[in-house]
Amino acid sequence: MLEKKCETFNMNRVIDEFEEMTRDADQVQKQTLRDILHKNQSAVYLRNFGINGNTTDPEAFKALIPLVTDLDLEPYIKRMVDGDTSPILTSRPVPAISLSSGTSQGRPKFVPFTDELMENTLQLFRTAFAFRNRDFPIDDNGRALQFIFSSKQYISTGGVPVGTATTNVYRNPNFKAGMKSIQSLCCSPDEVIFSPDVHQALYCHLLSGILFRDQVQYVFASFAHGLVHAFRTFEQLWEEIVTDIEDGVLSSRITVPSVRTAMAKLLRAPNPELADTIRAKCTSLSNWYGLIPALFPNSKYVYGIMTGSMEPYVKKLRHYAGELPLVSHDYGSSEGWIAANVTPRLSPEEATFAVVPNLGYFEFLPVSETEEAKEKPVGLTEVKIGQEYEVVITNYAGLYRYRLGDVVKIVGFYNNTPQLKFICRRNLILSINIDKNTERDLQMSVESAAKRLAEEKIEVIDFSSHVDVSTEPGHYVIYWEISGETDDDVLQNCCNCLDKGFIDEGYMSSRKCKTIGALELRVVQKGTFRKVQEHFLGLGSSAGQFKMPRCVKPSNVKVLQILCDNAVSRFFSTAFE
Ligand code: AMP
């Protein structure tokens, strides 16, 4: 792939282009589908279903190509990973494969990564930046403190590079130029982003950010979890970071030679003045409230995905951000980008995303109460406000009518393109018999129970769950890591709140007639969820893309073991006695 020179960024032009494209959303969708089918006209997958280069009509496409899930495409993608360069899903062999962390779906999956997906990524970044910059302008020559981590890319036995989607993006030669053009150059040297050790990388990101503190315009991590994790780590390590600055010598905890060499260039001389400033800031804060603006006085906002499964981290992030706005990052997945945040002033709770009509051909499958109902997907401009849908994506990288598994709600239109709210992953995570609870239901139950803890000034650091059917009847187990100690009766109370917090009819009636047993709250010791994250990182998931699994399947023996081994107390709900 050739490194392209990035065009100069022109905010008004990018916004105008987006306005025009979204006014013409329907035509742009049709044209995008034509392009995709034309580009991939030799793909055997399409040909086998009777599609050839002449298919231009969306209706013909929908009549011939079935809706699929990742499982259906797995055998095709596996052949690509194994080095079969024949036109399987795409006309040309793909340059890389993305490995999704699998934390959202419980198992890793492969998806093709192509030059078009890279282009889409840069287009999406430019669009979102243009709208952000209109509302929160940043200074020329500023930098962004970006907690980004490139996990290892390996070459499959078939000779194809495989890495997480973010790794494929960060390793792309166009990434750096693209970020520079939108004034978002990282503070840290590349060696930090590509460090094989994520703990050392995080330390160096924090240190680099402070060294460039006056230039830092915004603070970013892909997911809110990453931001909270970064500043929790800072709380523990700040004195060491300050000592490095004071002495001009990098801590001995950094052992990766390339990272040491790169950081030594930044940390050229002792800087006691900066060290004193940071020390004074850190010691004057009350419980670290407003840490981010205290460290980075010129930052304009904090940026990352804060919706969906990241909502539980927003409260803590707000605490660190003080008065700084929290801006929700856009909506996409390893499979491709879908929608941009073009209303960045909205709080994370209100955030919506406008579908970008040239990033793929999008369909929306209505989500009905009964999973069995055979609903038909509707087109981008046919969606109804207030209705929930599963996103179905057709893209340049060989995914055709692919069910993404995400549920979104249409909340309005931006010109003629839908504006959506992310609701949850479609799959149920907690179910024993007739009960149906999604990740969002769990989140809401935890949120309501956490209010009781908040009265004691204690927060839920992280949580997960598990369906235990080894007892008769089966019951839900919720694991909590909390920030302090409290009386058993408070936790008993929280346990009852959790049980009552699942308001699904099936659950409540099963609890009343005792076909589901009392909910169990297990409190785990501090650091347990860090161990869970370590476990996933060890399996190759990237620190930047990590999402805590909210429900641990029985097959995930290792994670269950970590949670069980670290449980310090357990409570059974008495809410339905
Ligand atoms: P990954 O599998 O690591 O590529 O993660 C992609 C998934 O993250 C999506 O399918 C969504 O479930 C979730 N996601 C991505 N963007 C957002 C967003 N803005 N808000 C909520 N969830 C998101």
Side-chain angles (χ1 to χ4, degrees), residues 468-510:
D468 184 355
V469 284
S470 66
T471 55
E472 180 53 45
H475 69 289
Y476 293 3
V477 183
I478 312 287
Y479 297 91
W480 265 14
E481 180 174 328
I482 57 178
S483 63
E485 291 193 1
T486 186
D487 297 340
D488 281 1
D489 55 339
V490 174
L491 290 166
Q492 180 62 54
N493 212 262
C494 291
C495 178
N496 291 3
C497 282
L498 283 167
D499 206 6
K500 284 271 183 196
F502 290 101
I503 51 169
D504 157 61
E505 267 306 320
Y507 183 76
M508 290 198 301
S509 58
S510 304

Side-chain angles (χ1 to χ4, degrees), residues 493-559:
N493 212 262
C494 291
C495 178
N496 291 3
C497 282
L498 283 167
D499 206 6
K500 284 271 183 196
F502 290 101
I503 51 169
D504 157 61
E505 267 306 320
Y507 183 76
M508 290 198 301
S509 58
S510 304
R511 281 290 290 119
K512 278 179 201 150
C513 65
K514 308 231 178 318
T515 49
I516 292 184
L519 180 143
E520 180 180 350
L521 168 63
R522 285 191 202 175
V523 179
V524 296
Q525 55 186 329
K526 266 203 189 163
T528 303
F529 280 91
R530 222 171 243 232
K531 288 186 194 159
V532 173
Q533 180 173 5
E534 301 281 333
H535 165 73
F536 279 104
L537 296 185
L539 294 180
S541 99
S542 108
Q545 252 177 283
F546 177 76
K547 294 175 230 53
M548 188 59 71
R550 292 296 182 216
C551 180
V552 185
K553 302 265 177 295
S555 55
N556 207 337
V557 180
K558 181 69 197 158
V559 174

Side-chain angles (χ1 to χ4, degrees), residues 36-77:
I36 292 173
L37 297 181
H38 181 71
K39 275 211 162 149
N40 289 323
Q41 56 183 302
S42 334
V44 173
Y45 181 85
L46 289 177
R47 290 187 165 258
N48 283 349
F49 284 112
I51 298 267
N52 57 42
N54 301 326
T55 312
T56 54
D57 175 24
E59 292 314 314
F61 169 71
K62 287 192 263 188
L64 292 169
I65 299 288
L67 288 175
V68 291
T69 64
D70 59 313
L71 276 181
D72 298 305
L73 292 191
E74 203 169 80
Y76 299 91
I77 299 177

Side-chain angles (χ1 to χ4, degrees), residues 121-412:
T121 304
L122 293 177
Q123 181 200 329
L124 192 286
F125 285 2
R126 270 195 303 274
T127 305
F129 178 74
F131 282 90
R132 261 186 358 257
N133 211 41
R134 189 171 66 176
D135 285 359
F136 307 106
I138 64 175
D139 303 341
D140 287 348
N141 298 321
R143 282 181 182 255
L145 168 55
Q146 304 203 43
F147 296 104
I148 59 178
F149 307 86
S150 168
S151 59
K152 264 200 218 113
Q153 207 178 32
Y154 70 91
I155 305 295
S156 73
T157 44
V160 189
V162 179
T164 58
T166 44
T167 297
N168 287 333
V169 168
Y170 303 149
R171 287 189 180 270
N172 190 287
N174 294 332
F175 174 69
K176 208 164 170 181
M179 294 314 276
K180 196 168 176 193
S181 80
I182 56 169
Q183 293 145 269
S184 300
L185 256 192
C186 278
C187 296
S188 323
D190 289 351
E191 290 79 356
V192 170
I193 301 169
F194 298 116
S195 161
D197 182 306
V198 290
H199 306 291
Q200 296 187 27
L202 176 53
Y203 184 93
C204 293
H205 277 317
L206 288 163
L207 175 57
S208 308
I210 294 176
L211 293 172
F212 285 105
R213 73 187 287 256
D214 292 326
Q215 271 172 272
V216 170
Q217 299 292 303
Y218 68 91
V219 177
F220 168 83
S222 297
F223 290 97
H225 172 270
L227 287 163
V228 169
H229 176 65
F231 290 103
R232 276 195 205 280
T233 306
F234 181 81
E235 282 187 33
Q236 286 159 12
L237 299 178
W238 71 273
E239 282 167 307
E240 199 172 323
I241 292 176
V242 168
T243 306
D244 287 6
I245 296 169
E246 190 154 49
D247 301 344
V249 178
L250 190 63
S251 157
S252 58
R253 75 165 59 230
I254 308 303
T255 55
V256 177
S258 58
V259 176
R260 279 202 78 83
T261 311
M263 287 303 294
K265 287 186 195 148
L266 284 190
L267 202 63
R268 256 171 294 168
N271 190 341
E273 210 177 307
L274 177 59
D276 283 348
T277 308
I278 301 299
R279 197 174 284 123
K281 295 272 177 204
C282 289
T283 48
S284 67
L285 293 174
S286 160
N287 193 24
W288 301 100
Y289 177 82
L291 173 61
I292 299 176
L295 293 179
F296 311 108
N298 296 317
S299 54
K300 312 289 187 297
Y301 52 87
V302 178
Y303 185 44
I305 291 178
M306 298 175 194
T307 40
S309 61
M310 292 299 131
E311 281 169 26
Y313 306 104
V314 169
K315 191 161 166 240
K316 187 68 183 175
L317 190 54
R318 208 165 249 142
H319 182 83
Y320 285 134
E323 301 296 309
L324 275 184
L326 299 184
V327 179
S328 295
H329 189 27
D330 313 272
Y331 170 43
S333 67
S334 302
E335 286 83 347
W337 286 99
I338 296 144
N341 181 357
V342 295
T343 46
R345 279 188 186 278
L346 293 182
S347 70
E349 291 78 8
E350 300 163 312
T352 65
F353 307 100
V355 180
V356 186
N358 73 340
L359 295 184
Y361 181 73
F362 300 105
E363 293 171 77
F364 295 84
L365 186 61
V367 174
S368 57
E369 286 298 306
T370 51
E371 285 287 310
E372 298 76 33
K374 286 267 174 287
E375 296 274 10
K376 272 192 155 173
V378 298
L380 181 83
T381 52
E382 296 161 345
V383 291
K384 297 222 166 20
I385 294 177
Q387 166 79 48
E388 291 189 358
Y389 298 92
E390 178 179 350
V391 178
V392 177
I393 184 172
T394 294
N395 71 8
Y396 287 95
L399 304 182
Y400 307 101
R401 309 198 78 212
Y402 172 98
R403 292 176 59 171
L404 200 55
D406 285 344
V407 177
V408 297
K409 183 175 187 166
I410 308 300
V411 291

